[in-house]
Amino acid sequence: MTKIHLRDYQHQAVEAAINHFRQSNESAVLVLPTGAGKSLVIAELARVARGRVLVLTHVKELVAQNAEKVGLLTRQAGIYSAGLGQKQSQDKTVVASVQSAARALDKFHAPFSLVIIDECHRVSCETNSQYQQLLSHLMTINPKLKILGLTATPYRLGIGWIYRHHYHGRIGNTEKPVFDKCIFELPIRPLIKNGYLTEPNLFDGLAAQYDFGLLSKDSQGQLTEIQINNLLSHSGRATKAIVNQIRQLAAHRQGVIIFAATVRHAREVMSLLDGESVALITAETPNDERDRLLKAFKRRDIKFLVNVAVLTTGFDAPHVDFIAILRPTESVSLYQQMVGRGLRLAENKTECLVIDYAANGFDLYYPEIGQAKPSSKSVPVQVHCPQCNFANIFWGLTDEDGDIIEHFGRRCQGLTSDNEQCSYRFRARICPDCGAENDIAARICQRCDSTLVDPDTRLKQVLNKQYHHLFRCQDMLLSADNGILKVTYLDIEGNQQVQEFRMETQAQIRALYALFIHTHSRTPGLQLPKIKRPEDIVAMADRFHHPDLMLLKKNKKGWDIIQQYFDYQGRYQTDNREYAY
């Protein structure tokens, strides 16, 4: 048996799992970056486990890789995978593809004490999914079954974090978490610093780039293939310039992986690489052909490997030293997976060139924030909760000095001493019935169960009545006049609506905080300098933003502001009909 020494962080991950399961039956997640050696962590857990262990993954390459590592540390594992032509399910450790195992539940009738799921971010909560069917079957045999997931990317677009809470005291997914707790997480930076991964040289492809920012996203923050193809069909010159640049830069590179946006786009890239040793892999590529091409690439018979969303996980070719990203993504996880294909160590490899031609704008060293990126200029910012002092990480905007000028956080992500989420909300939707603060997208009040009327529904109801006007705000000006703060709202036609605040007493200043500062702040929750005079507010006008819409009601002298709508996305923003009566 080959003598294998685990790295310190691998030992720490194993100890975290052992300590957790000694005191809890909650499912758990270990987060280790791509290239950190998850297979060795899995193998060591299989070695020290007292009962039988089942290792699950979704591709045969990872089945073979995990089985090999188990064999290096302990007795040889059984393999259950139709793709590998083996179906052994009675060994002390079994490594299986979830597809093969879920189709043969009767073969897994002996109890397991531990299930380890590699690339566990792929596990769905749906009860009819293959993972859930298999896990439910195994838990009927052993109700005390321990479930452990490993991943480099514990977040999925449209779902969020895959765990309920984090050992650092942070809330995760309170709606549909697949796992209960993240018990260990290792950042990628120390792996690079300590020489365990190759240093990446990261660049944006500024000379020739696709402007995917022109496209509108769906409700899940995704772009459709039709949209992407339409944009790319008008980007022929950009694609040609990009591929020419890739060819030039690849002259002294060992292996190049190109991530294309669509199958049609990939084929265009292939045609522009004519004359090079190049292969194309998509979801449509037959398994035998895919295996042949990947083996040829690993032997370096092929230099360029073009693919569409199939080489982000379960693929290991350490000699790769050039990653070209030609596809958009809203996911830091996917971005990290793509870059990770080039960070493994190899002979005569000192760094890996990474060029993002799609201007995704992610930082490799930052983790997921827990929500989709609001804009290409957004960066992770740290925002302390004024209630519990938890250091939240939200998307935000910073100035040239790195100071936060706006953040998009909604609720504090900290956990209280009784393991509940902190109640502080940076942005909230107030229930008109009980006054409780709710998430800005909530439909039902979390305190009194009242229905929170959708903004468009509310506007339609009110605007059908007389004496109301919808003011579409385009700008906001602040000024000081004899101890009074004047807030002047302007619409696209230059019409004005003025709001005034006196600041002579503490009660008036408290009202100012409630009616203006808190609602208009770009950085809710962050402490402002002490405010005594209107001039103090005017001096920091860039810290406040105007509402998108204001609902006004006619009075004897003019109009009163009935309601203001921030971050509004609905039909009334662009509807040009007149709503004054």
Side-chain angles (χ1 to χ4, degrees):
M1 188 177 298
T2 306
K3 187 68 173 177
I4 299 291
H5 294 283
L6 269 66
R7 297 168 181 168
D8 54 354
Y9 66 83
Q10 292 169 333
H11 277 296
Q12 292 166 9
V14 171
E15 286 300 311
I18 293 172
N19 292 336
H20 172 76
F21 287 127
R22 279 177 177 166
Q23 56 187 347
S24 175
N25 275 331
E26 287 187 321
S27 57
V29 176
L30 302 174
V31 179
L32 292 164
T34 301
K38 292 193 293 293
S39 293
L40 283 177
V41 173
I42 292 170
E44 178 66 3
L45 286 167
R47 186 186 71 83
V48 301
R50 294 180 180 176
R52 297 179 69 230
V53 178
L54 175 61
V55 180
L56 294 173
T57 190
H58 66 293
V59 291
K60 65 181 181 181
E61 290 85 0
L62 285 175
V63 172
Q65 179 179 307
N66 286 326
E68 177 191 7
K69 293 300 190 295
V70 170
L72 293 176
L73 295 187
T74 183
R75 72 180 73 170
Q76 189 64 46
I79 293 177
Y80 200 95
S81 169
L84 296 175
Q86 299 183 57
K87 293 190 175 181
Q88 302 158 351
S89 60
Q90 301 303 314
D91 298 77
K92 195 264 185 184
T93 300
V94 178
V95 184
S97 72
V98 65
Q99 298 91 336
S100 297
R103 286 195 295 264
L105 298 180
D106 59 312
K107 301 295 183 182
F108 293 81
H109 52 78
F112 288 93
S113 63
L114 172 65
V115 171
I116 303 175
I117 305 173
D118 197 4
E119 303 292 351
C120 68
H121 58 277
R122 301 182 65 90
V123 179
S124 168
C125 285
E126 300 299 325
T127 56
N128 62 350
S129 69
Q130 291 178 320
Y131 274 110
Q132 295 299 343
Q133 288 180 27
L134 179 56
L135 293 174
S136 296
H137 169 74
L138 296 174
M139 292 191 74
T140 61
I141 300 171
N142 177 15
K144 295 183 179 180
L145 180 69
K146 314 288 188 181
I147 301 175
L148 177 70
L150 284 88
T151 182
T153 51
Y155 180 88
R156 292 177 62 180
L157 281 177
I159 296 176
W161 301 110
I162 63 173
Y163 52 77
R164 186 178 301 278
H165 53 97
H166 193 284
Y167 71 109
H168 281 162
R170 181 183 74 231
I171 197 70
N173 187 335
T174 59
E175 299 296 326
K176 291 184 177 180
V178 179
F179 297 88
D180 291 309
K181 186 176 183 179
C182 176
I183 59 174
F184 182 85
E185 183 168 14
L186 179 71
I188 195 171
R189 194 184 294 275
L191 291 179
I192 295 171
K193 181 179 179 181
N194 293 325
Y196 295 134
L197 292 178
T198 301
E199 180 80 27
N201 284 334
L202 302 156
F203 297 95
D204 281 331
L206 298 178
Q209 198 172 71
Y210 303 117
D211 192 1
F212 291 108
L214 295 173
L215 305 179
S216 58
K217 304 175 181 66
D218 62 19
S219 60
Q220 301 296 321
Q222 302 277 40
L223 300 175
T224 67
E225 185 171 345
I226 293 175
Q227 286 178 300
I228 294 171
N229 278 331
N230 285 340
L231 182 143
L232 293 173
S233 67
H234 296 90
S235 303
R237 291 183 180 180
T239 301
K240 187 174 181 180
I242 287 168
V243 174
N244 284 339
Q245 185 181 74
I246 290 173
R247 293 179 81 151
Q248 294 171 9
L249 294 172
H252 303 290
R253 295 283 163 175
Q254 301 180 58
V256 184
I257 295 181
I258 300 173
F259 290 94
T262 65
V263 173
R264 190 170 81 181
H265 183 221
R267 288 171 179 157
E268 180 185 6
V269 172
M270 283 285 291
S271 68
L272 293 169
L273 284 170
D274 185 45
E276 302 283 358
S277 57
V278 58
L280 170 63
I281 295 180
T282 72
E284 302 169 358
T285 306
N287 289 336
D288 291 346
E289 177 71 2
R290 172 176 168 170
D291 291 345
R292 184 186 68 78
L293 293 175
L294 293 182
K295 288 177 181 177
F297 181 71
K298 291 180 180 181
R299 291 195 309 265
R300 309 191 191 187
D301 295 338
I302 295 172
K303 185 171 184 176
F304 295 85
L305 194 56
V306 184
N307 86 105
V308 183
V310 294
L311 298 181
T312 53
T313 60
F315 175 67
D316 183 7
H319 75 285
V320 172
D321 55 359
F322 185 3
I323 300 291
I325 301 173
L326 278 65
R327 58 156 295 175
T329 178
E330 292 299 310
S331 169
V332 176
S333 295
L334 181 56
Y335 175 80
Q336 291 174 336
Q337 292 279 17
M338 290 188 288
V339 174
R341 299 307 105 196
L343 300 188
R344 296 184 186 275
L345 303 177
E347 187 177 356
N348 299 322
K349 177 180 173 182
T350 57
E351 47 82 45
C352 178
L353 176 63
V354 179
I355 304 184
D356 181 5
Y357 290 101
N360 291 300
F362 289 115
D363 189 325
L364 176 66
Y365 301 105
Y366 280 95
E368 284 283 4
I369 304 304
Q371 64 188 67
K373 193 174 185 179
S375 71
S376 60
K377 296 181 180 180
S378 301
V379 297
V381 296
Q382 188 178 85
V383 181
H384 285 266
C385 173
Q387 182 169 299
C388 72
N389 204 39
F390 180 76
N392 293 276
I393 302 295
F394 296 136
W395 289 116
L397 301 174
T398 59
D399 60 19
E400 294 179 354
D401 297 324
D403 294 328
I404 301 173
I405 58 176
E406 186 168 8
H407 77 76
F408 306 105
R410 295 183 180 181
R411 183 176 177 181
C412 176
Q413 301 298 293
L415 290 171
T416 62
S417 56
D418 56 359
N419 219 29
E420 296 293 331
Q421 184 174 3
C422 174
S423 61
Y424 185 81
R425 295 183 185 275
F426 294 90
R427 290 175 172 84
R429 189 173 181 182
I430 307 300
C431 174
D433 294 330
C434 71
E437 292 186 340
N438 296 271
D439 184 79
I440 59 175
R443 297 298 180 93
I444 302 294
C445 176
Q446 50 91 23
R447 179 191 290 173
C448 70
D449 291 332
S450 293
T451 299
L452 301 176
V453 180
D454 177 78
D456 278 0
T457 303
R458 159 75 172 159
L459 288 171
K460 183 178 179 180
Q461 292 171 346
V462 173
L463 293 172
N464 283 333
K465 302 176 182 179
Q466 291 185 340
Y467 312 118
H468 287 84
H469 174 68
L470 194 59
F471 189 95
R472 297 177 180 83
C473 191
Q474 296 292 318
D475 201 359
M476 180 179 72
L477 303 177
L478 303 182
S479 59
D481 184 11
N482 293 324
I484 298 174
L485 174 69
K486 294 184 65 175
V487 183
T488 304
Y489 302 101
L490 303 172
D491 69 8
I492 196 169
E493 297 175 353
N495 298 314
Q496 298 184 3
Q497 176 67 25
V498 179
Q499 194 174 25
E500 296 185 350
F501 297 94
R502 291 188 175 275
M503 299 179 61
E504 299 166 351
T505 67
Q506 286 300 311
Q508 290 173 340
I509 292 178
R510 285 196 296 271
L512 172 69
Y513 268 91
L515 298 176
F516 179 78
I517 292 177
H518 182 68
T519 56
H520 292 65
S521 175
R522 293 181 182 272
T523 56
L526 293 186
Q527 188 172 3
L528 296 173
K530 195 166 185 179
I531 295 169
K532 294 182 178 179
R533 307 174 303 146
E535 288 80 5
D536 296 333
I537 298 290
V538 175
M540 46 186 178
D542 58 350
R543 294 195 178 204
F544 304 101
H545 66 144
H546 63 76
D548 298 308
L549 299 176
M550 296 196 303
L551 184 63
L552 310 182
K553 186 175 182 179
K554 186 74 173 177
N555 61 34
K556 292 181 180 180
K557 296 182 180 180
W559 299 90
D560 292 326
I561 298 175
I562 302 301
Q563 196 165 357
Q564 295 177 322
Y565 297 88
F566 295 85
D567 304 312
Y568 174 82
Q569 293 180 345
R571 64 185 292 264
Y572 289 100
Q573 183 65 51
T574 56
D575 195 331
N576 291 319
R577 289 181 296 170
E578 181 58 56
Y579 287 103
Y581 293 88

